[in-house]
Amino acid sequence: SVCSSLRSCRCRRPAALVSSTMCRAAAAAAAAIAAALSWRPAAAFGTGTASGALAPSPCLASLEACVQQAGVEEFAELHRWLLQSPLEPSRVDRAALSLAASAAQPSQLELAAFVLFRDLGLGLLARALELLLLCRGSDSACRQLLPHIEQVYGLRDALEARIVSLSPGYAPDAGTRSAVLRTGRNVRNDLDRFARAPAPGAEEGGASGLLTRIAELAHLVGRRTRMLSHMLGMHAWVRTLRVPGRGAPVFVLHDEYTSWLDMVESLVGVMVRNGQKALTFVEVGISAEPFQHTLLQEFSGLQYIGLALDPGSADATAAAVQQRRHQLFQEAQARTQAFAVAGRSVVHFATSGALAANLPRDALDLVLLDLSGDGVQDVQQELAMWETRVKPGGILAARGFGPEWPESLQAVLAHRHGNDMHMSVGGGLWWFVEPEEE
């Protein structure tokens, strides 16, 4: 396969933020693979024949056999990936965190929802494989695309009926219902969009184009299932957090961000769409991810200031850190060279305090801090310092926030307790900067 592991290839939305052509190729392979999973409607959606009963299908009855008959490695890989869909919320390691209490066990609602979404993905894969095998056998049904579209859309009614049947498993105040229902609503909307799209014509590949669409839909359901697992796991973890003597912090969990990179791109995009054509973005602790060029290219009014952090120490460990960060500094300079000439980008190698001292208060629209342990050191001091450089109503964001970084976690909670904090997948965090109290 293009990537050593489909799950380890971090392809993100939009395509402009994908870090390599290998990931883009893996995304295409994953879409093709999505037609290879098994779905057992009797076990997953109940034994009744609710509205939208499915037409008989050999692949629904024996998906593994259809995968083998197809003989396409990408489909087999997608099949394995869908079978590995999570069946419970992700587990967060709380052992090292003094702020965390014990977590509740997954509810019946959660467990049933994971089975539902996994089996839906497998059902979509079965429909894709069925179309592939018909076309390979030169069956005339291969050219009749509408019945295949209707069969795929028929899964929507089964989805609705199964979600309704989950209601008795809802426990008040468990905090899981909204995430499960939101995922169900998103999947239902995905099916609606699939059905509304015109059938692909000859120029779009005909049956081949439809096969790709079904595979992409199955892959999307698999991604949504994994996102639900992560969000419920993080929700359970957040509910255990306490600030000694002050109670629980306030978090808003975002499942529309697929990574901290996606979070940053989304925040900049919202600012621009809200009429802020010119804005200044400072990255404190340059990331190895080559996203700066993409942002500058996509948003013509963006000015970027990047800071590769100088450790400011002479010991041997600091020397190795300095060398690595200086390399990041040089790479960021090279990526943003064209924008530097236009006066829209500048990259520094200095300490955080040195850069902040040369920037006026209330001047920046967005600041992104690296809190991962390889970035800023005194987190609470850095948060306070950079908040003063952000305009009221601007955004202070961070990457490297979560149970993997307990020191940063405690510093953020102590600094921001009592105010909303927005969290993303992959350690992203942000909040609006309020005016200083007089």
Side-chain angles (χ1 to χ4, degrees), residues 132-366:
L132 172 64
L133 295 175
L134 285 173
C135 295
R136 180 177 291 175
S138 300
D139 193 303
S140 60
C142 172
R143 297 187 295 274
Q144 300 169 8
L145 301 186
L146 185 58
H148 296 286
I149 294 173
E150 291 175 344
Q151 287 177 354
V152 169
Y153 192 59
L155 297 173
R156 184 187 189 281
D157 289 335
L159 172 68
E160 289 284 352
R162 188 68 179 109
I163 288 179
V164 170
S165 74
L166 296 180
S167 298
Y170 168 55
D173 300 325
T176 60
R177 180 175 181 268
S178 60
V180 170
L181 293 183
R182 184 166 58 249
T183 300
R185 183 172 62 249
N186 288 338
V187 171
R188 181 189 63 196
N189 292 341
D190 296 334
L191 287 164
D192 288 341
R193 281 190 293 271
F194 171 87
R196 287 196 301 266
E203 67 282 359
E204 299 173 290
S208 176
L210 180 59
L211 176 63
T212 299
R213 289 187 193 177
I214 301 173
E216 288 173 345
L217 184 57
H219 191 255
L220 179 57
V221 172
R223 294 203 309 271
R224 292 201 185 281
T225 306
R226 285 163 169 78
M227 178 66 77
L228 176 62
S229 175
H230 175 83
M231 295 303 294
L232 289 176
M234 292 303 293
H235 187 280
W237 170 67
V238 163
R239 287 169 66 91
T240 68
L241 295 180
R242 299 290 184 272
V243 178
R246 305 179 72 179
V250 181
F251 284 102
V252 179
L253 305 182
H254 291 265
D255 59 4
E256 68 270 28
Y257 307 142
T258 59
S259 66
W260 69 262
L261 282 169
D262 196 25
M263 176 192 77
V264 171
E265 192 271 346
S266 179
L267 291 174
V268 174
V270 169
M271 289 180 174
V272 171
R273 287 193 297 273
N274 286 341
Q276 197 169 344
K277 301 302 182 185
L279 54 93
T280 303
F281 166 44
V282 176
E283 182 186 14
V284 181
I286 290 177
S287 166
E289 295 283 355
F291 75 101
Q292 303 90 351
H293 177 275
T294 301
L295 283 180
L296 286 162
Q297 193 169 43
E298 184 173 354
F299 301 104
S300 59
L302 179 69
Q303 287 190 316
Y304 169 78
I305 301 173
L307 175 64
L309 290 164
D310 185 345
S313 176
D315 60 41
T317 302
V321 172
Q322 184 180 47
Q323 183 177 4
R324 185 178 72 254
R325 292 180 181 175
H326 196 268
Q327 182 177 350
L328 291 174
F329 162 70
Q330 292 176 319
E331 292 171 354
Q333 271 192 323
R335 285 195 298 267
T336 59
Q337 177 79 33
F339 301 99
V341 172
R344 293 182 52 210
S345 172
V346 61
V347 181
H348 300 281
F349 185 74
T351 64
S352 179
L355 178 60
N358 284 280
L359 293 172
R361 297 171 66 93
D362 302 336
L364 309 175
D365 299 287
L366 172 63

